[in-house]
Amino acid sequence: MPKWTRYDPQILEDAEKKLIEFTGIPIEKLKVPVDPYNFLYCLICGDPTNPPLVLLHGYGGSGLIFYKIIKDLASKHYLYIVDHLGMGRSSRPNFKAFDSSSAESFFVEPIEQLRKAMGLNRFILAGHSFGGYIAGCYTLKYSEHVEKILFISAVGIPTKPKDYDFMSELKGDWKLRWIQKLVMFLWVRNITPAFIMRIMGPFGKLFLDHMVHDRATSIGKEEENVMINYLEQINLLPGSGEYGLAYVLCPGAWAKNPLCQRIHSLKIPMAFFYGDRDWVKPDGAEEVLEKSNGMVLIYTITGSDHHLYWDNPKELTEKIYHALETLE
């Protein structure tokens, strides 16, 4: 790491240890090889005699982002909480994808290798945001191994309206609109938030403080500080999987190959979860429900934005279990 960076492996270890303590249950940490050079970082907890549930985090995150719901989910399932290749504490290979299909494969194939390594035959698959999109992509290719799928505020589901224009959708005062225009400028050039944070060196934490504080209004100050330290450290690791976002999503988080046009033919039971003030809307889920021949459920979590697992973890886990029982 360059001298300019704030990366400190001890800070990362301490923050991870604290987040695991916040979960309230013992967690095993594994590095699962997925090829001769790379591994997926995986947290495992619960009773191994319970049904397996694989949980995928969102863009720029890590499995411990779910710390508030891990204990409840592990009460009835054996959890495999996976960091995507190129994100979290997983390996950081050079990102060499060149289109949406190869970008999807970058994330999907390591999950399949993890499934083989862990001896999983069929399991419940759940993913949040970008992790929900990858969960859908995995299920499309390896549907025989997925018993049920849970989309937690997943991006990339709906079809982009024909008349959609990112610039015309900008809202707020001139400062906010300017920021949104800057985001689009950076997006199309695949300049990621983590890249900006890394080149900002000692000032990068201020950038992350602002991002997390605005999104973590429902967690305590101590937990927020630990989460900021944790997210800062994992995003200071070399850039890799973060560069996949621009290959699969357009500005506005519209998928280049929307899942609603692909997953509706699956016979696998699926459930969608959204916050009542979520920026991700249920339009795609409603389109899947309309077209699907299988069972599809849609839930709204009260008092929640995009980070349902922080804002209302109790209702989220209750509705996850309601969905799993109903989907039987």
Side-chain angles (χ1 to χ4, degrees), residues 51-66:
L53 190 160
V54 175
L55 190 55
L56 304 177
H57 65 84
Y59 181 77
S62 178
L64 278 173
I65 203 111
F66 298 113

Side-chain angles (χ1 to χ4, degrees), residues 17 19 24 48 61 76 96-97 119 135 176 192 194 203 215 218 226-227 229 234 277 286 297:
K17 180 180 179 182
L19 286 173
K76 296 182 181 179
K96 297 180 179 180
L176 181 58
T192 69
F203 303 101
R215 293 163 175 78
S218 57
V226 173
M227 182 59 69
N229 285 336
I234 62 171
R277 46 189 174 85
E286 292 165 358
L297 302 173

Side-chain angles (χ1 to χ4, degrees), residues 142-214:
Y142 298 106
S143 58
E144 68 272 20
H145 299 300
V146 179
E147 182 180 340
K148 305 180 185 77
I149 183 167
L150 309 176
F151 294 99
I152 304 171
S153 192
V155 298
I157 306 290
T159 303
K160 182 171 72 172
K162 292 181 179 180
D163 59 349
Y164 177 83
D165 177 69
F166 181 82
M167 301 299 288
S168 66
E169 294 292 321
L170 300 182
K171 299 176 181 179
D173 60 20
W174 70 269
K175 293 179 182 178
L176 181 58
R177 292 196 304 273
W178 185 88
I179 292 172
Q180 292 171 323
K181 290 178 182 178
L182 177 62
V183 168
M184 186 187 74
F185 175 84
L186 298 175
W187 189 310
V188 298
R189 288 158 179 79
N190 212 356
I191 300 173
T192 69
F195 172 81
I196 295 172
M197 194 177 73
R198 286 192 291 270
I199 65 172
M200 288 176 70
F203 303 101
K205 192 167 189 291
L206 298 175
F207 174 69
L208 187 65
D209 281 350
H210 177 71
M211 289 181 63
V212 174
H213 181 72
D214 288 348

Side-chain angles (χ1 to χ4, degrees), residues 269-312:
M270 57 187 77
F272 296 82
F273 305 84
Y274 300 91
D276 59 356
R277 46 189 174 85
D278 203 330
W279 64 266
V280 179
K281 304 305 178 186
D283 305 35
E286 292 165 358
E287 189 173 342
V288 174
L289 176 62
E290 182 180 343
K291 294 180 178 179
S292 178
N293 294 321
M295 181 173 282
V296 177
L297 302 173
I298 303 175
Y299 293 87
T300 299
I301 309 302
T302 57
S304 298
D305 65 8
H306 189 51
H307 298 279
L308 294 70
Y309 42 77
W310 288 348
D311 293 333
N312 197 340

Side-chain angles (χ1 to χ4, degrees), residues 67-80:
Y67 74 97
K68 279 182 169 289
I69 64 173
I70 287 175
K71 184 175 182 179
D72 282 345
L73 291 179
S75 67
K76 296 182 181 179
H77 291 87
Y78 194 45
L79 291 189
Y80 296 83

Side-chain angles (χ1 to χ4, degrees), residues 30-42 54 56 80 82-87 89-93 105-119 138 142 240:
L30 292 178
K31 292 181 178 180
V32 182
V34 294
D35 64 38
Y37 310 102
N38 297 298
F39 64 86
L40 290 187
Y41 194 72
C42 184
V54 175
L56 304 177
Y80 296 83
V82 182
D83 285 5
H84 294 293
L85 184 65
M87 295 186 187
R89 300 198 69 180
S90 291
S91 292
R92 300 291 183 116
S105 294
F106 178 89
F107 299 102
V108 166
E109 296 309 321
I111 297 170
E112 172 61 7
Q113 294 307 311
L114 178 136
R115 181 198 68 77
K116 293 177 180 177
M118 303 310 295
Y138 176 90
Y142 298 106
S240 177

